[in-house]
Amino acid sequence: KMSPSFTATACAQLRAESLQPVSGEKLCRWTDTTRDLLVPALERTLPAAADVVLTLSPAQLDRLEARYQERTAKMRSEMLLPDPQARQEAVLERTVKRYEDFYGKLSTQQRQLIDSRLRAAPVDPAMAMDRREKRHVEMMSELRAMVRERPSATQVQERLRLLVRRFDGRTPVEPASQARAMAEANCELAASVHNSATPQQRQALAEKLRGWESDLRALAGAGPALA
C-alpha cells in the first residue's frame, strides 16, 4: 500500500511538471497515476467504513436514498435541459467552473476554446447521468444486502473493496472503446486549457497542488510541501 509521503512525492513531481506545456497523452498518464495513488488510499479507510456500515439501519438507507434521488433530480434538470443550446451552455458553465477551481478566472478566449472542444467531444450528458445512476443503484443494492445479512466486519471490508475496485475508473461501465474515446477527449480538452494558461494561471495550479502536497505530508508527519 502507498503511504501519504509517497503520494506527496508524486504530487510534488506533478506540481513541477504542471508549469510546462503538456499533451493529452501525458495528461491521461497523470490521470492513471493519480488513480493508482488514490485507490490504495481509499482502501485504507475501509476498516472504518465497515464499522459504519454495520451500524446502519434500513431506515437510514432509505433517507440516504431519498437524499440522493433529490440531488439526482436537480442534476438532471440542470444537465438535461430540453433546449440543445441551453444544455450546451450549462455544460460549458460547469466545465469552466471546474477549471477555474484550479487556474483561477479564465479568459473569453479560453472559454471559447472549451466550448469548441466540448461541442466536438463524444460526450453525451444523458449517458453520463445514466452511468452515474447505475453506479448508485449497484452501490445501494450492496449496502442494503450487507445491512440485511449482517456479515462480519472482515466480509464487509472485502465487499466494500470490491465496490471500490468496481468503480475506480479502471473497469469502465460503458463499452471499452467508448470509454477510451471519452477519456482521450477529456485529456485533450484539459491539455488545451493548460497550454493556453498564462504564467499566473499555471502558478495558481501549482499552488493548488502545493496545498494537496502539504496535506499529504502532514498526514505522513513529513512537514510542509517543498518549495
Side-chain angles (χ1 to χ4, degrees):
K1 294 181 179 179
M2 297 179 184
S3 68
S5 60
F6 183 90
T7 52
T9 299
C11 195
Q13 180 181 354
L14 177 60
R15 174 164 59 87
E17 294 181 1
S18 71
L19 297 175
Q20 305 300 322
V22 297
S23 65
E25 182 182 0
K26 187 170 188 176
L27 276 180
C28 278
R29 290 200 302 271
W30 281 359
T31 300
D32 291 339
T33 298
T34 302
R35 186 179 295 121
D36 289 341
L37 295 174
L38 291 179
V39 170
L42 181 58
E43 289 191 350
R44 285 198 296 273
T45 69
L46 293 182
D51 290 342
V52 172
V53 168
L54 289 171
T55 69
L56 293 175
S57 67
Q60 287 174 316
L61 288 178
D62 288 343
R63 289 195 292 273
L64 180 64
E65 178 75 17
R67 197 172 302 123
Y68 175 83
Q69 293 295 345
E70 182 179 344
R71 288 199 301 268
T72 298
K74 184 175 185 294
M75 288 184 65
R76 278 194 170 274
S77 68
E78 294 173 349
M79 293 181 64
L80 305 181
L81 297 170
D83 178 62
Q85 184 59 32
R87 180 184 299 188
Q88 179 65 27
E89 290 173 1
V91 171
L92 173 62
E93 290 306 317
R94 283 194 302 274
T95 306
V96 167
K97 183 180 184 303
R98 186 162 65 246
Y99 281 109
E100 287 187 337
D101 286 342
F102 291 92
Y103 291 96
K105 185 70 174 177
L106 299 185
S107 68
T108 300
Q109 291 76 15
Q110 288 170 320
R111 290 175 62 93
Q112 292 172 343
L113 171 65
I114 293 172
D115 188 38
S116 64
R117 286 282 186 175
L118 288 174
R119 290 179 186 275
V123 178
D124 182 346
M127 183 183 300
M129 281 301 304
D130 290 343
R131 186 170 62 250
R132 174 187 171 89
E133 292 181 35
K134 181 178 180 181
R135 286 198 299 265
H136 176 75
V137 167
E138 289 189 32
M139 287 188 285
M140 288 302 301
S141 176
E142 181 63 2
L143 283 175
R144 290 187 185 280
M146 287 187 282
V147 168
R148 182 176 62 252
E149 298 164 10
R150 295 296 175 182
S152 69
T154 300
Q155 290 171 324
V156 172
Q157 287 183 46
E158 184 56 31
R159 290 166 74 163
L160 290 176
R161 181 174 291 105
L162 291 175
L163 276 179
V164 169
R165 292 175 180 175
R166 172 75 177 90
F167 299 114
D168 66 2
R170 302 173 190 179
T171 305
V173 178
E174 57 279 319
S177 60
Q178 186 180 74
R180 184 167 56 253
M182 292 174 64
E184 290 174 355
N186 286 333
C187 291
E188 290 296 338
L189 168 59
S192 295
V193 174
H194 183 78
N195 292 338
S196 75
T198 65
Q200 293 78 12
Q201 288 173 327
R202 291 188 188 180
Q203 190 60 44
L205 173 62
E207 289 303 316
K208 171 76 76 170
L209 294 172
R210 186 192 301 275
W212 291 355
E213 181 190 342
S214 293
D215 291 342
L216 289 166
R217 291 187 182 279
L219 285 173
L226 303 177

